[in-house]
Amino acid sequence: MPGLPSSVDLDECIARLYKKELLAESVIEAICAKTKELLMRESNVVHVKAPVTVVGDIHGQFYDLIEIFRIGGFCPDTNYLFLGDYVDRGMFSVETISLLVCLKLRYPNRLHLIRGNHESRGVTQSYGFYTECSRKYGNANVWHHFTDMFDYLTLSVVIDDRIFCVHGGLSPSIHSIDQIKIIDRFREIPHEGPMADLVWSDPDPERDEFSLSPRGAGYTFGSQVVKKFLEVNKMEHILRAHQLCQEGYQTLFDNQLSTVWSAPNYCYRCGNMASVLEVGENGERVFNVFEAAPENDQVKDMQMGQDKMGEQGQLPDYFL
Amino acid sequence: MEPPPPPPPSATGAVSLPRLPILTSDELSKKAFGPLQKRINSGADVSFFLTSRAYKELMVWIMQLNHSLIPRLSPDTARPVCFPLEPGRRGWSEPVRRLREMLGGCEELILEAPPEENKNRRFGNGACRVWHGKLGERIQGWIDGLGLGVNGGVKEELRGYFMGAWGDKGRLDYGTGHELSFLAFLGGLWKVGFFGGGEEKEGEREREVVIGVVEIRYLEVVRKLITTYTLEPAGSHGVWGLDDHSFVPYIFGSAQFTKPILGRTEATPVEGSCPGAPKPASAVDKQTVEDYRGSNMYFGAIGFIYDVKRGPFWEHSPMLFDISGIKDGWGKINKGMVKMYRAEVLGKFPVVQHFGFGGLWAWEVDPEMVGERSVHLQSQPVQNQAQSLGQGGGEGGTKAPWARGAMGGMSGGQVSMPRPMDGGVMAPTGLPGRGQVPTPRGGIPNTGPMEQTSFPRGGGMHDRVGGNQFSVTKAPWAKD
């Protein structure tokens, strides 16, 4: 790829990452810089064509990401749209986001990455990605490279002018999709305002209108909001992620909105299914449901995990 | 309170363990009691909380319970006396017996609210809301049945804490904030003299509260609710947190195995183990966990993790795995757990924002506590003290770390909730006039350092992160 240092071979990086090997810090730095350049040129609303396979939250569940490729096809044979929340909570967020970014650089038109509420400095400091980067690399540089790059991720995708895709949901300050295009998105996710709402909001089947979200950011939105948004924007469907679903997906509001969730047996314990949504050339939508990858259950060499955890014990400071 | 007995000789020096004061009948009649008040609406309010009487007394209560579980050296026997859980025990003191009956009632309600078959539910089972409704119908009768001899306002506060102890019925989740509410309920009962106020019997009453009420009944019922209604481990830090739902069993369980003490005037050990206790390293061994989960709270909590989680332990629970490598014994673990509880539970906005205040747990400055503030602020995120992180305090899905508590409230609906100031948009952080915190006058000696585990250490990051992302100024395109 032009612009990458000659020492960085993307195909080799991808091959290593498929084996769950970490890339060097300098390679991450170069790749994130290049990805920023690429993402900078994308609109806040990226238009893509079907067929495309849409993926919800991953949260560092690397084995399950690989399972998705096994089920849905590897890049670039299958087009992918990821709806965000690649990092935090899981054990392998670094490997997950490294792989996705390399694939994005290698196949920029075959794979699209939307920003989720966890693609943020503030949230990743709380929910694990910061800690994981520090442990696996011994310092926070890699976390800085990734989170700086997150500021450039797009906010939404429209498939074939009929399916509106976003991580969280709708915003009371966005009526027309054109209003998304004028957001200055190259920044940390703010606490409030339309950009925050797009990544934080949730549908509420019990309501008609907008209501404050119990999450403390974004809103919940009801059936009338969805109906009106689709009418105004001449869309057929809203597709989003952001919420755990027992069956891997949930369809609401007379099939006008779907949630797709792609982290099976979330946090090693929820027992939930996961899914990806395959959008066909004629707009047909098929949920492909799957369960946790077999690697999750294998008794892995503990040493393998411990090596990555750095040399000394990684006790929380409270116990030192 | 009764005067403390003369301290026995002790190698580590005698201390007077603070105990939660029992309210006099005068205080009970003169103080204002009533519906719990939600007070924590911003990070500044958390700072105030950490200087409050409520915070100080909650810590006193937890340390009092913790201390009661430490094994005792006995002049009569060669071996120290330990305090294992006693699942088959029948003889409990009358107050504990009544509470266990009440918790048994909670458990029976699960039978009256069987999980629903609903394919279109998102995750948590909606029948849990039926369970909450039934609890709401019974609770007044149960509180009345305790025979407390206190006025309606006090009962209302106790009811609020009890109702807040079972997870959020809207979000169908459960976390350490709910656990805290249960501790506040029990501490409230202590304060009104429910457990008696007479002579000290080496922590016997406190011990019964923990092993008879907290572990064998409350946590049992909680675990049953979690599995029956698949309560979401939302707000969980995943593999990067201690546990998806619970905290106190790790505190009390490590106390059960710590180095024995002579008696109640000896300080809580900060290292060492009880002879015969399993090694911390065995806390990750499945067979040892099975062997001890019935008698020790720490192993009981890990046993529940083994019940519900799949995959290698070091992978899904790396923090507990790392802690099991501690060489300085259960005392060291106990000390670390208490420190961590202060910082990660009581010091975190998403967890404590739902806590209600009143006459039992007072939202008022404790002069001794003003030094706590500066210590705790160091443990707040760099950007904004309001941006605090929970250990899973009952937040639905990921909680915005800066989330303001303008909505939600305790599940029992006992908290009066201020509405957002402009009918929908959340207020900027750092409201003037709210949570004005007195200037610290220097730290008080008994609070250890509150280092942040998961936040940037050293320089560099402050500059890079300190931009506009947590600005209180609204973006130009923001809604009104």
Side-chain angles (χ1 to χ4, degrees):
Chain A
M1 172 131 210
L4 270 183
S6 55
S7 57
V8 177
D9 176 341
L10 265 184
D11 284 325
E12 193 201 326
C13 291
I14 291 168
R16 283 171 172 272
L17 287 163
Y18 276 135
K19 290 187 278 181
K20 208 159 103 355
E21 292 172 17
L22 291 173
L23 302 181
E25 184 184 317
S26 59
V27 177
I28 298 281
E29 181 175 15
I31 281 170
C32 285
K34 196 67 200 161
T35 307
K36 276 196 250 179
E37 283 177 34
L38 176 69
L39 295 175
M40 200 184 300
R41 298 196 293 269
E42 288 188 350
S43 162
N44 294 351
V45 186
V46 173
H47 284 260
V48 307
K49 284 194 187 331
V52 59
T53 296
V54 187
V55 185
D57 294 25
I58 303 286
H59 283 301
Q61 297 191 190
F62 180 83
Y63 299 120
D64 299 313
L65 172 64
I66 300 300
E67 183 79 351
I68 288 169
F69 290 135
R70 279 191 218 125
I71 291 169
F74 281 81
C75 270
D77 302 332
T78 301
N79 300 323
Y80 279 99
L81 165 59
F82 288 82
L83 297 181
D85 280 13
Y86 316 109
V87 299
D88 281 342
R89 296 209 171 104
M91 180 54 105
F92 309 109
S93 294
V94 174
E95 292 84 344
T96 298
I97 187 65
S98 299
L99 176 58
L100 290 176
V101 167
C102 286
L103 289 171
K104 174 67 183 170
L105 272 186
R106 182 68 179 81
Y107 310 108
N109 298 316
R110 294 278 173 192
L111 183 137
H112 287 90
L113 302 173
I114 287 181
R115 191 170 192 178
N117 61 311
H118 282 261
E119 276 69 64
S120 135
R121 294 174 187 80
V123 174
T124 52
Q125 281 175 59
S126 320
Y127 288 94
F129 184 52
Y130 177 85
T131 309
E132 185 186 332
C133 290
S134 306
R135 284 185 165 211
K136 291 183 178 173
Y137 287 92
N139 64 60
N141 296 341
V142 162
W143 176 82
H144 283 295
H145 300 322
F146 279 124
T147 50
D148 286 351
M149 180 271 292
F150 290 160
D151 287 343
Y152 293 81
L153 290 168
T154 188
L155 301 175
S156 64
V157 163
V158 171
I159 302 172
D160 285 344
D161 293 322
R162 53 180 163 199
I163 302 177
F164 175 73
C165 307
V166 66
H167 177 71
L170 302 180
S171 166
S173 30
I174 296 172
H175 306 284
S176 152
I177 288 177
D178 288 337
Q179 289 172 288
I180 299 175
K181 294 181 181 163
I182 56 167
I183 295 174
D184 173 16
R185 79 165 195 268
F186 303 111
R187 54 172 295 183
E188 170 72 349
I189 298 169
H191 285 187
E192 54 191 42
M195 183 168 159
D197 300 341
L198 290 172
V199 300
W200 280 100
S201 294
D202 296 307
D204 183 349
E206 310 287 313
R207 289 178 187 272
D208 287 333
E209 299 298 333
F210 281 106
S211 178
L212 277 172
S213 168
R215 292 176 187 263
Y219 290 81
T220 64
F221 55 97
S223 56
Q224 290 308 307
V225 172
V226 169
K227 189 161 172 267
K228 198 170 164 200
F229 180 86
L230 292 175
E231 272 171 19
V232 166
N233 293 288
K234 299 186 177 60
M235 294 275 147
E236 292 171 7
H237 197 78
I238 296 167
L239 182 49
R240 44 87 64 175
H242 195 39
Q243 282 182 301
L244 171 61
C245 299
Q246 179 66 34
E247 305 299 326
Y249 66 93
Q250 188 186 35
T251 299
L252 293 174
F253 308 128
D254 288 331
N255 205 14
Q256 292 182 113
L257 177 143
S258 308
T259 299
V260 56
W261 178 265
S262 303
N265 194 31
Y266 187 41
C267 295
Y268 298 82
R269 62 164 293 160
C270 287
N272 60 292
M273 302 297 285
S275 78
V276 293
L277 178 63
E278 294 168 354
V279 181
E281 280 176 63
N282 299 313
E284 65 274 19
R285 301 187 302 272
V286 178
F287 286 100
N288 201 339
V289 176
F290 61 100
E291 54 183 36
E295 289 89 338
N296 288 295
D297 285 333
Q298 282 167 13
V299 179
K300 279 146 282 188
D301 184 359
M302 198 190 303
Q303 198 56 43
M304 185 178 79
Q306 292 306 295
D307 284 347
K308 280 192 180 176
M309 289 295 129
E311 285 170 8
Q312 66 218 31
Q314 294 282 349
L315 271 180
D317 292 352
Y318 309 112
F319 298 90
L320 295 179
Chain B
M1 273 188 67
E2 70 280 7
S10 160
T12 54
V15 294
S16 177
L17 179 75
R19 299 174 83 203
L20 201 55
I22 293 171
L23 297 171
T24 63
S25 55
D26 199 38
E27 287 171 309
L28 278 169
S29 58
K30 282 189 181 157
K31 267 186 137 180
F33 295 94
L36 298 179
Q37 301 291 315
K38 180 177 169 59
R39 298 286 195 180
I40 298 178
N41 297 300
S42 71
D45 297 336
V46 176
S47 305
F48 181 88
F49 171 58
L50 298 172
T51 67
S52 70
R53 271 192 53 201
Y55 171 79
K56 183 178 97 172
E57 292 183 354
L58 282 166
M59 276 317 298
V60 165
W61 178 230
I62 288 164
M63 294 311 290
Q64 183 181 344
L65 296 176
N66 188 61
H67 195 270
S68 75
L69 295 160
I70 302 170
R72 309 290 151 133
L73 294 167
S74 161
D76 308 326
T77 57
R79 292 176 141 263
V81 179
C82 297
F83 306 109
L85 302 172
E86 302 165 81
R89 171 168 164 184
R90 296 212 169 262
W92 299 99
S93 67
E94 183 57 18
V96 167
R97 193 193 62 75
R98 285 191 197 174
L99 283 176
R100 288 170 59 85
E101 208 171 270
M102 191 167 158
L103 294 168
C106 294
E107 187 172 19
E108 281 169 25
L109 291 180
I110 296 175
L111 297 173
E112 295 180 31
E116 297 162 357
E117 285 292 326
N118 176 2
K119 271 287 183 187
N120 204 34
R121 75 184 161 103
R122 186 174 64 75
F123 189 71
N125 196 298
C128 189
R129 298 192 179 107
V130 178
W131 183 89
H132 275 275
K134 289 183 182 292
L135 182 63
E137 290 164 13
R138 311 286 168 89
I139 182 65
Q140 192 59 51
W142 287 347
I143 298 269
D144 289 341
L146 293 175
L148 296 171
V150 294
N151 65 44
V154 178
K155 286 186 191 173
E156 184 154 7
E157 292 191 10
L158 289 168
R159 192 180 66 193
Y161 292 120
F162 192 84
M163 291 301 291
W166 306 100
D168 187 279
K169 69 176 173 191
R171 301 185 294 268
L172 299 177
D173 61 11
Y174 173 88
T176 47
H178 306 114
E179 187 186 76
L180 175 65
S181 194
F182 191 72
L183 288 179
F185 168 73
L186 293 176
L189 287 174
W190 178 275
K191 284 184 157 208
V192 302
F194 178 66
F195 296 107
E199 81 293 351
E200 166 60 30
K201 291 188 292 180
E202 269 310 316
E204 176 60 28
R205 287 196 302 271
E206 290 92 336
R207 202 149 48 233
E208 273 203 29
V209 170
V210 180
I211 67 176
V213 182
V214 176
E215 173 74 17
I216 300 191
R217 291 315 281 141
Y218 171 68
L219 288 173
E220 258 178 11
V221 179
V222 162
R223 288 169 187 155
K224 202 160 179 178
L225 288 176
I226 289 170
T227 49
T228 304
Y229 302 118
T230 60
L231 300 185
E232 200 164 334
S236 158
H237 292 205
V239 308
W240 305 101
L242 183 73
D243 183 292
D244 286 326
H245 297 289
S246 297
F247 204 112
V248 296
Y250 298 100
I251 298 179
F252 297 146
S254 52
Q256 287 177 286
F257 282 150
T258 195
K259 192 173 86 178
I261 55 173
L262 280 163
R264 91 173 186 91
T265 51
E266 188 173 336
T268 305
V270 296
E271 59 180 30
S273 293
C274 187
K279 292 201 178 337
S282 63
V284 299
D285 175 64
K286 203 168 180 178
Q287 187 53 52
T288 314
V289 169
E290 279 305 312
D291 293 345
Y292 284 95
R293 66 186 294 181
S295 57
N296 177 275
M297 297 178 73
Y298 195 100
F299 283 69
I302 292 185
F304 185 63
I305 291 179
Y306 270 118
D307 290 344
V308 297
K309 293 210 177 193
R310 279 162 44 190
F313 190 88
W314 64 265
E315 189 180 304
H316 61 60
S317 303
M319 192 182 282
L320 286 167
F321 183 83
D322 290 343
I323 292 168
S324 75
I326 284 179
K327 302 284 184 244
D328 299 326
W330 289 100
K332 185 90 166 183
I333 295 176
N334 186 245
K335 178 183 164 214
M337 288 293 171
V338 170
K339 260 193 193 178
M340 186 171 172
Y341 189 80
R342 284 170 176 263
E344 299 288 336
V345 176
L346 295 179
K348 294 304 187 206
F349 177 82
V351 185
V352 295
Q353 60 170 325
H354 302 300
F355 194 83
F357 298 83
L360 291 171
W361 304 100
W363 182 255
E364 59 192 38
V365 170
D366 186 294
E368 280 179 43
M369 298 302 290
V370 289
E372 281 272 299
R373 176 181 171 262
S374 59
V375 171
H376 269 279
L377 284 184
Q378 292 163 13
S379 75
Q380 295 290 343
V382 287
Q383 296 88 352
N384 181 331
Q385 66 196 39
Q387 185 210 1
S388 51
L389 328 155
Q391 180 66 31
E395 49 265 48
T398 302
K399 189 89 184 179
W402 59 85
R404 310 183 51 78
M407 64 294 284
M410 302 179 83
S411 353
Q414 302 297 318
V415 177
S416 337
M417 294 173 284
R419 294 308 304 164
M421 44 198 335
D422 53 3
V425 178
M426 286 171 282
T429 46
L431 289 180
R434 275 208 74 89
Q436 293 290 331
V437 179
T439 312
R441 292 197 302 248
I444 61 172
N446 66 347
T447 54
M450 295 288 165
E451 301 93 337
Q452 189 69 35
T453 47
S454 54
F455 281 90
R457 277 160 255 172
M461 178 152 153
H462 295 242
D463 303 334
R464 301 188 60 169
V465 190
N468 61 356
Q469 67 270 23
F470 290 112
S471 162
V472 296
T473 312
K474 282 181 196 166
W477 61 83
K479 53 202 178 285
D480 295 332

